[in-house]
Amino acid sequence: LSKNFLINLSMCVATAGVSQLYLVMTVCVVYMAGVITYFPYRSRFANMIEVLTAVSIIYASSLLTWFAERGDTDLDNQIGWTTALLSFSPLIAATGAFIYLWRFGIRLPHTVEERKRMQAAFQEVAMVAAAINRIPEEVGVEVMLRLQEWDCYYLRKAMHTANIEFLGGESAWRIGDKSISSDVASAL
């Protein structure tokens, strides 16, 4: 609903046809990035349809620029600056990512605050795992069947990751740190 409102608003805000189409594409790209980041719908299929819809609108808008009226405005300069900005945006994002990783990346040895935070997180995980372990199998299967698609997917991925990282399990898509699982094995 918000995407449709913003697309219609972009038709009112921009005056020239080309500007309207580029604003529609911008709204769709930002909305699609949000959908890809947050997966707002419970069904994975609904999220995929939303992304395909946004891609369709982006392609239709870009193809319609061929027929759009430029109007009396001087859009060449604005489009030139926008093109330059978009061309260099990966460099700007990479610089920001580098600064973020340099500032907030994993630092060894871990601080006392990090250890306390991870201790609380591990205690919560251990408590939930122990509670799940006490559930009778029939009840557990029923709960798994009632879970929404995303919830079941993330629960299985978390189990898969715990199996690899804590228990030394094998995976075709993930390489676990064997020193972690050997530390766990020696602690057991």
Side-chain angles (χ1 to χ4, degrees):
L1 188 61
S2 62
K3 177 181 74 172
N4 294 335
F5 173 75
L6 292 173
I7 286 174
N8 287 318
L9 184 64
S10 64
M11 295 295 188
C12 298
V13 171
T15 55
V18 174
S19 300
Q20 290 175 337
L21 291 171
Y22 281 124
L23 196 52
V24 165
M25 285 189 274
T26 302
V27 166
C28 285
V29 166
V30 170
Y31 188 82
M32 184 172 56
V35 169
I36 291 171
T37 303
Y38 296 108
F39 294 112
Y41 304 112
R42 300 295 282 174
S43 171
R44 291 169 53 180
F45 186 71
N47 288 304
M48 183 178 66
I49 293 296
E50 187 66 40
V51 169
L52 290 176
T53 302
V55 168
S56 171
I57 293 171
I58 291 168
Y59 271 106
S61 298
S62 66
L63 293 172
L64 287 172
T65 58
W66 179 265
F67 303 105
E69 184 73 33
R70 282 180 166 246
D72 295 333
T73 61
D74 180 33
L75 293 176
D76 290 339
N77 191 30
Q78 295 172 1
I79 290 176
W81 277 104
T82 304
T83 302
L85 179 67
L86 289 174
S87 297
F88 286 101
S89 63
L91 180 62
I92 295 167
T95 303
F98 175 76
I99 291 170
Y100 177 83
L101 289 174
W102 176 71
R103 175 69 180 98
F104 300 108
I106 295 176
R107 303 209 184 270
L108 298 176
H110 296 290
T111 64
V112 174
E113 293 85 25
E114 287 176 315
R115 290 194 174 280
K116 285 181 181 177
R117 195 173 63 245
M118 285 303 119
Q119 181 180 10
F122 178 76
Q123 288 172 349
E124 182 180 9
V125 168
M127 179 188 69
V128 170
I132 289 173
N133 194 37
R134 290 190 303 269
I135 296 174
E137 186 173 344
E138 313 82 52
V139 176
V141 169
E142 230 8 80
V143 170
M144 291 289 288
L145 288 171
R146 290 183 187 170
L147 285 177
Q148 294 292 325
E149 185 180 13
W150 274 120
D151 297 334
C152 188
Y153 172 80
Y154 282 119
L155 182 62
R156 293 184 70 199
K157 287 298 178 188
M159 180 271 317
H160 189 74
T161 302
N163 182 35
I164 293 167
E165 296 296 340
F166 287 97
L167 305 176
E170 297 294 326
S171 174
W173 60 270
R174 183 181 174 109
I175 300 173
D177 186 353
K178 296 296 181 187
S179 66
I180 295 173
S181 58
S182 63
D183 289 347
V184 172
S186 64
L188 295 176

